[in-house]
Amino acid sequence: MAEKTIDIQSLEHIFDNMVNVMDQSKNDIFTISEQSRQAFQEMQNELGIIKEEISRVITEGDYLEDMTRHSRRRLADVSKNFMKFSEEEVRKAYETANDLLVRLSINRMEEKQLRVRRDELDRRIAALLDTIERADQLVNQVTTVITYLTSDLKKVGEALESARQKQDFAIQIIQAQEDERKRLSRDIHDGPAQMLANVLLRSGLIERTYTEKGPVEALSELNQLKEMVRNALLEVRRIIYDLRPMALDDLGLIPTLRKYVSTVMEYEKDVTIHFMNNGTEKRFESNFEVGIFRLVQECISNALKHGNSRDVWVKVEWLRDTMNIVVKDNGKGFDQNQTKEKSFGIIGMRERIELLKGEMKIISSIGNGTTVFFRVPLLETNLVE
């Protein structure tokens, strides 16, 4: 018995060490990723400045080239009619031509150096993007493994028929969580964070614009800056709304769905969502209303993201003891006979409709759009007085 206890303790110690090493490795990879992101942003800012400098140098070079041609013609005229000009005029013609030639040479050298730096930044930015993507994939994979190793799968296993199902289901849940965290991180980084970084860069250029081009151009830059801040605020509100529609608890399901549809159309200017509600809405407990909202939200998201739909129809019908929901789009559709390994959105909808004790049916074919039917029983136990 003592030997067996010692063996178990040794195995636990080895397992804990392995998890700790993996966790430290994940943190190291994450640090590398964040450092790469910071370097990427700095290079992007520098690249923007370099491009502006190149534009300025080219404009200046074109002007110097015109002036050089003019001075050469003047010098040729002076040389040809040497006796007609004074010694001072001849000297000035030669000095002007020589000075413009030197300035043009310096300008071309500066342009060449700026172009070399621009090309170098482009290469380094491309390499950094590859590094960031690889680091994100590694962090995601290591986190999935660590979570899977350290999670208690027994509670999940009670609802599954075999160990194989238990493993697959647990990994899918963990992967979905990590994908959602990664999506939220990307939304913040590519949306508000990027916009605010651009605001910081543009704010530094306003003073320079005022000095070089005057108050009119500076005011134009300031108006563009205000628009960027406004867009960043709208993006933050969209992300918060996607996480949890706060209006759901206050207003109820139908007003929140109308607001969501309106918000989507604000962001997707070429998309029209036709919303219809038949019958008298009833208020149900929060989990029930959130479940219904997420089902409709997932259908609309799939129609726009995967189906490339431009028109979506949403119909909610309230009956005495049943709610019927139809979400139809005119997108590209899909082949239902082909199993998609990563169709976790559909899996999630099926699980959610099962929790609501309802039914779901999907009709779709390539080129003919997709229609999703939901039938949800309105149980008295979920009703809010």
Side-chain angles (χ1 to χ4, degrees), residues 165-176:
Q165 288 177 322
K166 179 179 66 177
Q167 291 176 355
D168 290 344
F169 188 68
I171 290 174
Q172 281 183 323
I173 291 174
I174 295 167
Q175 190 70 48

Side-chain angles (χ1 to χ4, degrees), residues 102-118:
V102 171
R103 288 172 61 188
L104 181 60
S105 177
I106 293 173
N107 176 270
R108 293 302 186 224
M109 185 179 299
E110 184 180 1
E111 180 184 349
K112 182 178 179 181
Q113 291 174 346
L114 287 171
R115 288 183 182 276
V116 169
R117 179 57 178 163
R118 181 199 62 189

Side-chain angles (χ1 to χ4, degrees), residues 307-353:
N308 296 328
S309 307
R310 300 299 92 190
D311 283 281
V312 181
W313 292 264
V314 179
K315 180 180 178 181
V316 180
E317 183 181 31
W318 299 83
L319 302 179
R320 187 169 64 89
D321 55 0
T322 306
M323 173 194 290
N324 294 325
I325 304 171
V326 181
V327 182
K328 180 181 179 181
D329 65 68
N330 64 347
K332 61 184 181 181
F334 64 94
D335 187 353
Q336 293 185 255
N337 295 322
Q338 293 183 354
T339 302
K340 294 187 176 181
E341 296 179 357
K342 295 185 178 180
S343 57
F344 198 78
I346 296 178
I347 296 175
M349 287 196 296
R350 292 194 185 280
E351 292 171 356
R352 200 180 292 276
I353 198 68

Side-chain angles (χ1 to χ4, degrees), residues 32-44 47 120-138 182 186 189-190 194:
I32 293 172
S33 175
E34 289 305 304
Q35 290 173 347
S36 298
R37 289 183 195 279
Q38 183 177 357
F40 171 81
Q41 189 58 58
E42 292 172 354
M43 288 183 190
Q44 283 279 63
L47 183 61
E120 180 186 355
L121 284 172
D122 282 335
R123 289 192 296 270
R124 291 178 63 184
I125 286 173
L128 272 178
L129 283 175
D130 184 64
T131 300
I132 291 170
E133 184 176 357
R134 290 174 181 271
D136 286 348
Q137 290 176 352
L138 284 174
K182 183 176 179 181
R186 287 293 187 200
H189 178 269
D190 295 339
Q194 190 72 24

Side-chain angles (χ1 to χ4, degrees), residues 135-195:
D136 286 348
Q137 290 176 352
L138 284 174
V139 168
N140 197 20
Q141 292 169 358
V142 173
T143 302
T144 300
V145 173
I146 292 174
T147 308
Y148 180 71
L149 289 174
T150 56
S151 293
D152 183 8
L153 300 177
K154 293 181 180 179
K155 293 181 181 179
V156 180
E158 293 175 357
L160 303 172
E161 296 178 357
S162 66
R164 176 66 178 175
Q165 288 177 322
K166 179 179 66 177
Q167 291 176 355
D168 290 344
F169 188 68
I171 290 174
Q172 281 183 323
I173 291 174
I174 295 167
Q175 190 70 48
Q177 291 172 343
E178 291 305 315
D179 288 342
E180 184 63 18
R181 292 188 184 111
K182 183 176 179 181
R183 182 197 66 78
L184 181 59
S185 174
R186 287 293 187 200
D187 279 353
I188 295 174
H189 178 269
D190 295 339
Q194 190 72 24
M195 291 177 180

